[in-house]
């Protein structure tokens, strides 16, 4: 793959990740800007809080799809696939369409993992689901699930570059949750529950 093609596809991977699915679905189908309510995040969790599962599920699936697409466009070049995955996550977290703001990168990161290491992604997702079910804290499940990624990659003997990617992706997710971590420590974190919108504002 020549240099110009790589650069072009890298831009595409970033732009795909940058598409603000939560904002688009909220405004297009529910006439609601999810950034004005709850945690003010565009991801599936806040979309669920504000609009319910009928909006959150497609947001989650599309955000995961962005991660998968970022990897797929570089297939079958392993190192470049990792680049595409990282760029899709960067786009989701720092979207050019939102003034370089965005989500937490959990769903898009899961999409990358599903494409690269499906078994590890299944274990991480199951861990996330169990934690969220018992604690109602999506952020806690996301942080633990992300931290497991590089550990499981080492355990399952994945290539070095996959381990490096897993470490970087985990850091992305954890650092994007640093405010959530502080709220968890203070006992002030929002649980995954529907919230009432105040449309008088």
């Amino acid at each position: 793959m020549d240099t110009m093609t790589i650069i072009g596809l890298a831009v595409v991977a970033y732009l795909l990740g940058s598409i603000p699915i939560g904002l688009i679905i909220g405004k297009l189908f529910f006439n609601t800007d999810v950034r004005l309510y709850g945690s003010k995040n565009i991801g599936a969790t806040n979309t669920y809080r504000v609009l319910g599962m009928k909006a959150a599920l497609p947001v989650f699936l599309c955000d995961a799809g962005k991660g998968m697409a970022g990897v797929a466009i570089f297939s079958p070049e392993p190192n470049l696939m990792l680049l595409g995955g990282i760029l899709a996550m960067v786009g989701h977290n720092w979207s050019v369409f939102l003034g370089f703001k965005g989500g937490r990168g959990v769903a898009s990161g899961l999409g990358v993992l599903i494409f690269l290491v499906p078994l590890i992604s299944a274990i991480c997702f199951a861990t996330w689901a169990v934690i969220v079910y018992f604690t109602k804290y999506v952020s806690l499940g996301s942080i633990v699930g992300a931290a497991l990624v590089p550990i499981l990659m080492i355990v399952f003997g994945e290539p070095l570059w996959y381990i490096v990617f897993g470490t970087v992706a985990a850091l992305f997710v954890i650092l994007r949750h640093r405010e959530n971590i502080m709220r968890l420590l203070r006992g002030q974190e929002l649980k995954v529950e529907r919230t009432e919108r105040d449309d008088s504002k």
Side-chain angles (χ1 to χ4, degrees):
M1 195 176 292
D2 63 81
T3 302
M4 292 307 297
T5 299
I6 293 173
I7 293 173
L9 291 177
V11 172
V12 170
Y14 170 76
L15 292 176
L16 284 171
S18 291
I19 299 172
I21 300 295
L23 179 63
I24 292 171
I25 288 179
K27 284 195 169 184
L28 190 60
F29 296 103
F30 300 89
N31 194 33
T32 298
D33 186 338
V34 296
R35 298 174 300 176
L36 301 178
Y37 308 98
S39 66
K40 298 178 172 55
N41 191 273
I42 62 167
T45 301
N46 195 51
T47 300
Y48 172 77
R49 290 193 188 101
V50 178
L51 299 173
M53 186 59 71
K54 58 187 175 182
L57 182 58
V59 170
F60 176 81
L61 293 175
C62 289
D63 281 346
K66 294 191 304 186
M68 295 179 71
V71 179
I73 60 175
F74 281 106
S75 182
E77 301 288 339
N79 292 345
L80 293 178
M81 288 164 64
L82 296 177
L83 173 66
I86 286 288
L87 288 173
M89 292 181 66
V90 169
H92 180 78
N93 290 350
W94 297 282
S95 170
V96 67
F97 305 118
L98 298 176
F100 299 101
K101 297 179 181 178
R104 300 286 189 264
V106 177
S108 57
L110 179 63
V112 174
L113 289 179
I114 290 172
F115 197 100
L116 294 173
V117 283
L119 178 57
I120 290 175
S121 69
I123 295 172
C124 291
F125 181 78
T127 302
W128 173 89
V130 169
I131 291 173
V132 173
Y133 179 81
F134 284 105
T135 69
K136 307 303 180 188
Y137 290 124
V138 173
S139 57
L140 180 60
S142 300
I143 292 163
V144 174
L148 276 178
V149 172
I151 296 172
L152 290 174
M153 285 186 168
I154 293 171
V155 170
F156 282 93
E158 296 295 339
L160 176 60
W161 280 111
Y162 276 42
I163 297 170
V164 171
F165 164 80
T167 303
V168 172
L171 287 172
F172 267 20
V173 171
I174 293 170
L175 289 175
R176 289 292 287 172
H177 281 84
R178 58 190 181 277
E179 293 179 2
N180 304 80
I181 293 171
M182 296 305 298
R183 288 195 295 269
L184 283 166
L185 293 174
R186 294 194 299 264
Q188 299 173 342
E189 177 66 327
L190 292 173
K191 293 189 175 183
V192 59
E193 300 170 336
R194 291 294 307 277
T195 59
E196 295 296 327
R197 287 183 290 157
D198 181 1
D199 293 320
S200 65
K201 294 181 180 180

